[in-house]
Amino acid sequence: MTTIVRGGPRVLKKLAVAALAASAVVAVRKRNTSKGEADLWAEATRGPGSVSSPRS
């Protein structure tokens, strides 16, 4: 099935820009989440009341 997009290249360009923006937001959120988890892990494994860290 073929779909014809009205507006041609302008609509496709807008969709591409929207997809790029959405992927950038996801990347920033993922980075911030990872940093937050690393901070929590560091806090939990250091200091007098720390939990033991796994050894490999």
Side-chain angles (χ1 to χ4, degrees):
M1 180 166 80
T2 304
T3 303
I4 298 175
V5 178
R6 292 183 183 214
R10 288 189 318 182
V11 172
L12 293 176
K13 185 176 180 180
K14 286 182 181 181
L15 286 173
V17 169
L20 184 64
S23 64
V25 169
V26 169
V28 168
R29 284 188 178 179
K30 186 175 181 180
R31 181 178 175 200
N32 287 342
T33 301
S34 296
K35 187 177 186 301
E37 289 174 357
D39 290 344
L40 286 174
W41 180 255
E43 184 179 336
T45 57
R46 290 184 179 82
S50 66
V51 297
S52 63
S53 57
R55 309 230 187 265
S56 47

